[in-house]
Amino acid sequence: LPKQLSKHHRRYLVNPSNRKTPVMAPDWKLLYLYGGDNPWDSSLWTDSDDRVRGGKSQSHLHCESPEKARFFGNLDITALGGAGFASQRTLGTLHLDLSQYDGLVIKVLQSDSKKYTLTLKDEILPPREDGRDQSTISWEYDFVSEAGEIKIPWDDLKPTYRGRPKTDAKPLDVSNIKRISFMMRSFFGTQEGDFSLTIAHLAAFSNRPTSSDSDVSFEKDRAAAHAHTHAQAPAPTTRPSWFSWICGWAR
């Protein structure tokens, strides 16, 4: 990319030499949620695997550096008769206002060509008496990715309830995103075993024209995003920060 382009003002264009390869231009704005100028922190994520239903799948989110995270584990489909899932979700409740943006972007560094799912929630109910989460509508986007960027407009996220399409769902409230997760699942027994996806960043994008006013608004959005995505972090310890991202994934 030309050096004069700000990392916050970019968009996809057609590359004349390869029409499937995205390049960037100055008016595409990115708000980094994880990665980029909002470093990854494994302590902000927790596992949500099929073991809560008697399965044997396991997932991890290892922050290999503040600039990249690896979502990996093992998807077991034998315990649940061909079904199974392994996921990492954000800890606590986010309250992200992304209403001034047009969707999300995932930048993948390495992948195993398996199918993954990005999930958003705009509603979280109190836990049940047994401590398990109550079911609410999930907004999902499935992707099979090689290295590169995946652009996900809001309309491409599809509502589901307990794994089934929810055609009568009200629109996703992008002004109050409360949870984000990455999932590996069996898709009716079509995939299983070890999986690995390395991500540089997850960001919100805007195709809207920029101005001095929008730049001020963007800085406010960035400060709010940093505050909300780090709000659930455990209390700091006396260990140096590099220790937390090296060892924080091992749980």
Side-chain angles (χ1 to χ4, degrees), residues 10 46 59 101 118 123 171 216:
R10 302 175 177 179
T46 188
S59 69
Y101 296 83
L118 174 71
E123 180 183 22
V216 171

Side-chain angles (χ1 to χ4, degrees), residues 223-241:
H226 285 212
H228 287 304
T229 55
H230 288 79
Q232 304 300 325
T237 68
T238 56
R239 294 186 184 274
S241 59

Side-chain angles (χ1 to χ4, degrees), residues 171-237:
L172 173 65
D173 183 3
V174 296
S175 70
N176 194 15
I177 301 300
K178 295 183 176 179
R179 179 171 292 171
I180 300 172
S181 65
F182 291 99
M183 179 185 291
M184 162 57 60
R185 55 185 170 184
S186 68
F187 288 101
F188 304 102
T190 60
Q191 58 184 14
E192 61 180 308
D194 293 340
F195 62 89
S196 179
L197 178 71
T198 302
I199 305 167
H201 63 246
L202 173 66
F205 74 87
S206 173
N207 289 323
R208 305 172 196 191
T210 61
S211 66
S212 58
D213 289 341
S214 66
D215 284 343
V216 171
S217 176
F218 172 75
E219 291 303 324
K220 292 180 179 178
D221 290 344
R222 184 171 66 171
H226 285 212
H228 287 304
T229 55
H230 288 79
Q232 304 300 325
T237 68

Side-chain angles (χ1 to χ4, degrees), residues 27-47:
D27 57 347
W28 198 53
K29 181 175 290 187
L30 287 181
L31 175 69
Y32 291 109
L33 305 178
Y34 299 94
D37 62 14
N38 196 9
W40 287 96
D41 183 344
S42 58
S43 69
L44 302 177
W45 296 77
T46 188
D47 59 296

Side-chain angles (χ1 to χ4, degrees), residues 41-43 239-249:
D41 183 344
S42 58
S43 69
R239 294 186 184 274
S241 59
W242 57 264
F243 187 90
S244 65
W245 61 254
I246 291 176
C247 300
W249 65 276

